[in-house]
Amino acid sequence: PENFAKYKEIVKDDIIKDFKVSIAADEIGRLENVQVPDYQVEEQMEAIRKDAAESKQELDENMIRGKVEATLQRQAVFDWLAERSQLQVEFEDDYFDEALMEKLAKESLEREEQIAAGKAATPESGKLEPVGVEAPAAVDAAVEENVVPV
């Protein structure tokens, strides 16, 4: 439960963004009458049927068809938008936190030294316990500060 709460908090913004994009794409498709040819849906459905038969899995065609149609519709909308857009792409350098990397490297070296000195559990000892718990805290802090993309 605790890990799920952390996971949920980390992905919450991405899920909201994806949901908004989906709703916008659906609305643009409706307003601009962007259609997906039936043969494209059938091609995808045939590939899915084949995969399901090979893996001997049951297939709910109605549910799958709806998802396939929605996915293809959104792709068609994005293609439609790309054809009509006049965007200028600007590349930006990714942010690199040198201090965070130094801290993580230092903590990693400390753990290696503890293992080498026999002060830490090793895979051979059969006791795998975390050593230097501060590294995950540093990673969590970096994620919270949006320093590390997730």
Side-chain angles (χ1 to χ4, degrees), residues 96-136:
F96 179 77
D97 188 344
E98 190 171 342
L100 174 63
M101 291 306 294
E102 288 294 327
K103 180 179 178 185
L104 292 173
K106 179 183 170 205
E107 291 171 354
S108 180
L109 286 173
E110 288 172 358
R111 282 192 305 279
E112 290 295 324
E113 289 170 0
Q114 288 177 348
I115 290 171
K119 295 180 181 177
T122 62
E124 293 80 27
S125 72
K127 296 180 180 178
L128 292 176
E129 297 180 13
V131 177
V133 178
E134 292 160 10

Side-chain angles (χ1 to χ4, degrees), residues 7-139:
Y7 171 77
K8 187 172 87 172
E9 190 59 36
I10 289 170
V11 299
K12 178 181 175 182
D13 292 339
D14 289 336
I15 291 172
I16 291 170
K17 182 178 119 186
D18 290 346
F19 182 68
K20 288 179 180 180
V21 167
S22 294
I23 290 175
D26 292 347
E27 186 64 12
I28 291 168
R30 186 185 69 78
L31 292 172
E32 297 298 333
N33 198 29
V34 177
Q35 299 291 321
V36 176
D38 290 337
Y39 76 89
Q40 286 183 348
V41 175
E42 283 308 315
E43 284 175 356
Q44 292 294 318
M45 288 301 297
E46 189 58 39
I48 292 169
R49 282 186 207 107
K50 182 180 176 186
D51 288 344
E54 287 174 1
S55 62
K56 298 179 181 168
Q57 294 180 338
E58 289 188 33
L59 181 68
D60 182 351
E61 281 209 32
N62 291 330
M63 182 190 74
I64 299 289
R65 180 177 293 278
K67 289 182 179 186
V68 166
E69 288 172 347
T71 300
L72 291 174
Q73 175 71 22
R74 290 181 186 128
Q75 287 175 347
V77 167
F78 293 136
D79 290 345
W80 183 89
L81 289 169
E83 290 170 5
R84 287 157 181 78
S85 68
Q86 296 179 1
L87 301 174
Q88 299 296 321
V89 178
E90 291 182 24
F91 295 97
E92 297 180 9
D93 291 333
D94 288 337
Y95 176 75
F96 179 77
D97 188 344
E98 190 171 342
L100 174 63
M101 291 306 294
E102 288 294 327
K103 180 179 178 185
L104 292 173
K106 179 183 170 205
E107 291 171 354
S108 180
L109 286 173
E110 288 172 358
R111 282 192 305 279
E112 290 295 324
E113 289 170 0
Q114 288 177 348
I115 290 171
K119 295 180 181 177
T122 62
E124 293 80 27
S125 72
K127 296 180 180 178
L128 292 176
E129 297 180 13
V131 177
V133 178
E134 292 160 10
V139 172

